[in-house]
């Protein structure tokens, strides 16, 4: 989850600057940040609901895979239309992943010590939240482009996908 958070926070914090850097007007770029957040609202609701009926791990693997592709598109394209398509997918994934994060944690570890587990895991999520924006800024300063940070974010999202694939649920009855 920390790797995923690095991606979503890094992109969100730098989205307006990234778009302005690519020639978009600041007002349009700022409105797209708000639109991105709005896209995430129904996605949060939909995936929260779906998580009660569909294997959350599979949902997360699908969303993380789509997040990987969306960040690749945003990093590699020079087309406004392709960038917008990538941003819509990114926003959709961001919302869905946010709604499933705590729910899958409860599935894997139970609820008896949920607050303690939540506190411990938030250290890693918070580290990702800090590293993403700072790393994006660092690599932008080095390269004067957001392509490298977005490729690093795509690799991070892919790594998160692979880790989620190998993070098998605990055997029945093992949670307390």
């Amino acid at each position: 989850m920390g790797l995923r958070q690095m991606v979503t926070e890094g992109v969100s914090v730098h989205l307006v600057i990234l778009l302005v850097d690519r020639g978009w007007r600041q007002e349009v770029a700022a409105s797209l940040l708000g639109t991105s957040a709005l896209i995430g609202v129904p996605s949060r609701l939909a995936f929260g609901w779906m998580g009660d009926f569909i294997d959350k791990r599979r949902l997360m693997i699908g969303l993380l895979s789509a997040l990987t592709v969306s960040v690749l598109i945003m990093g590699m394209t020079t087309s406004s239309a392709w960038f917008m398509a990538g941003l819509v997918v990114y926003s959709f994934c961001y919302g869905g992943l946010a709604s499933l994060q705590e729910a899958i944690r409860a599935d894997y570890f139970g609820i008896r010590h949920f607050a303690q587990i939540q506190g411990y895991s938030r250290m890693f999520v918070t580290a990702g939240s800090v590293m993403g924006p700072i790393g994006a800024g660092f690599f932008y300063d080095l390269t004067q482009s957001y392509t490298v940070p977005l490729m690093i974010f795509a690799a991070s999202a892919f790594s998160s996908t692979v880790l989620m694939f190998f993070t098998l649920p605990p055997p029945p009855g093992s949670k307390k």
Side-chain angles (χ1 to χ4, degrees):
M1 293 302 122
L3 290 171
R4 190 271 308 170
Q5 195 77 13
M6 183 174 83
V7 175
T8 54
E9 293 305 314
V11 171
S12 294
V13 167
H14 285 270
L15 183 63
V16 173
I17 302 164
L18 182 157
L19 290 170
V20 169
D21 185 61
R22 291 189 176 183
W24 296 57
R25 287 191 2 248
Q26 187 171 1
E27 299 81 12
V28 173
S31 67
L32 286 175
L33 178 61
T35 302
S36 175
L38 284 174
I39 291 169
V41 171
S43 178
R44 286 174 192 252
L45 296 172
F47 279 94
W49 175 79
M50 283 190 283
D52 287 338
F53 303 102
I54 301 171
D55 179 21
K56 291 173 198 65
R57 181 175 155 267
R58 290 177 192 243
L59 288 173
M60 291 190 78
I61 289 169
L63 287 167
L64 288 166
S65 298
L67 181 70
T68 301
V69 171
S70 71
V71 175
L72 275 173
I73 289 170
M74 290 190 299
M76 295 175 66
T77 190
T78 57
S79 161
S80 297
W82 275 105
F83 188 91
M84 289 299 298
L87 182 60
V88 167
V89 172
Y90 161 84
S91 303
F92 181 78
C93 294
Y94 191 165
L97 288 163
S99 68
L100 293 172
Q101 183 171 292
E102 281 78 16
I104 198 169
R105 195 172 290 134
D107 285 355
Y108 275 59
F109 301 107
I111 59 170
R112 184 164 183 229
H113 299 285
F114 187 78
Q116 182 179 359
I117 292 165
Q118 179 78 349
Y120 179 73
S121 64
R122 292 305 274 172
M123 288 188 316
F124 298 99
V125 172
T126 301
S129 294
V130 171
M131 288 176 13
I134 292 172
F138 175 78
F139 282 106
Y140 178 82
D141 289 345
L142 283 178
T143 65
Q144 296 302 300
S145 169
Y146 277 105
T147 301
V148 171
L150 288 169
M151 294 302 103
I152 292 170
F153 289 156
S156 180
F158 179 74
S159 298
S160 186
T161 307
V162 170
L163 289 170
M164 183 55 69
F165 180 80
F166 287 110
T167 305
L168 301 176
S174 65
K175 298 178 284 190
K176 293 190 176 202

